[in-house]
Amino acid sequence: GENVEQHPSTLSVQEGDSAVIKCTYSDSASNYFPWYKQELGKRPQLIIDIRSNVGEKKDQRIAVTLNKTAKHFSLHITETQPEDSAVYFCASPNQAGTALIFGKGTTLSVSS
Amino acid sequence: ETGVTQSPTHLIKTRGQQVTLRCSSQSGHNTVSWYQQALGQGPQFIFQYYREEENGRGNFPPRFSGLQFPNYSSELNVNALELDDSALYLCASSLSYSSYGYTFGSGTRLTVV
């Protein structure tokens, strides 16, 4: 069935370090891979996404890489700051393309 | 440009009761999708409404139902509430029935006691 697995579930880093969160997906036809950031008590917000026709996309300190052969995609945050502390979710579309299947989330804590 | 708004923000209901949650989609968006987010979990797809018709449903029982109105706003109704229905309910609007470019609302926190 359709599934997105995300790890690690928690990640603690020092300010300035890099953080990497990894996801795997099951549907080889998936072609869209967004990442959402959810701060405590707030809505999930799209921070970056990638389509299947590219292998990497960057936006300032964040980047997403995609390996379609292995069905993996990863979020990379460089020079982490305390305000990066949040829960991060990866997602990919269901087979019908009408909904997103989310991973279980990674709680990132950045300490100063 | 207006964002996605949901009401109410918080709600406490008793087991067995019924509840209606509301969502106004972002200006120009004709599709609304509803998600349930249990504590410590990722959002789970309930259903989607596109041009006033249900256009896909997740693994939720029929007591979860919805509506979309001509102005593209939407309601989520849950009958016979159970304790496990306690969650954050999120709606997301988008330009079409695809899952690209979701804008989420702030959610309704439902507690069933």
Side-chain angles (χ1 to χ4, degrees), chain B:
Chain B
E1 181 178 297
T2 58
V4 179
T5 57
Q6 291 187 244
S7 63
T9 54
H10 296 85
L11 201 52
I12 300 175
K13 288 286 190 177
T14 303
R15 190 171 48 182
Q17 286 188 312
Q18 178 265 343
V19 69
T20 298
L21 310 181
R22 295 178 175 83
C23 172
S24 294
S25 61
Q26 183 169 319
S27 177
H29 286 185
N30 59 13
T31 303
V32 173
S33 303
W34 286 91
Y35 286 78
Q36 180 195 67
Q37 187 177 22
L39 203 59
Q41 301 293 318
Q44 294 214 328
F45 176 61
I46 303 174
F47 45 55
Q48 180 189 83
Y49 278 83
Y50 171 63
R51 295 184 176 177
E52 302 178 57
E53 298 284 334
E54 187 179 291
N55 185 50
R57 188 178 185 93
N59 190 25
F60 280 81
R63 60 189 185 84
F64 286 78
S65 63
L67 282 173
Q68 187 178 33
F69 301 100
N71 66 355
Y72 303 129
S73 66
S74 178
E75 288 182 352
L76 164 66
N77 299 291
V78 188
N79 293 323
L81 284 166
E82 301 176 359
L83 297 179
D84 283 349
D85 295 334
S86 296
L88 179 67
Y89 288 84
L90 295 160
C91 78
S93 74
S94 52
L95 275 171
S96 74
Y97 57 81
S98 78
S99 56
Y100 302 149
Y102 271 178
T103 301
F104 279 101
S106 295
T108 294
R109 172 73 61 189
L110 173 65
T111 303
V112 183
V113 297

Side-chain angles (χ1 to χ4, degrees), chain A residues 13 17 19-20 32 34 36 39-40 47 53 59-60 64 70 81 83 87 90 94 96-97 99 101 105 107:
Chain A
V13 299
D17 287 352
V20 180
Y32 174 64
Y36 284 83
E39 296 176 18
L40 193 62
I47 55 171
N53 57 344
D59 183 3
Q60 299 182 355
V64 56
Q81 300 167 4
E83 50 265 39
V87 181
C90 62
N94 63 359
I101 302 167
T107 301

Side-chain angles (χ1 to χ4, degrees), chain A residues 7 9 11 13 21 32 35 39 41 46 52 55 66-67 81 84 94 106 112:
Chain A
H7 58 94
S9 56
L11 181 57
V13 299
I21 303 169
Y32 174 64
W35 285 89
E39 296 176 18
L46 179 67
S52 60
L66 172 63
N67 182 330
Q81 300 167 4
D84 294 330
N94 63 359
T106 297
S112 53

Side-chain angles (χ1 to χ4, degrees), chain A residues 59-85:
Chain A
D59 183 3
Q60 299 182 355
R61 296 187 296 109
I62 60 173
V64 56
T65 58
L66 172 63
N67 182 330
K68 285 216 73 178
T69 303
K71 294 192 277 188
H72 289 170
F73 59 113
S74 299
L75 177 71
H76 304 253
I77 306 174
T78 58
E79 300 171 30
T80 53
Q81 300 167 4
E83 50 265 39
D84 294 330
S85 297

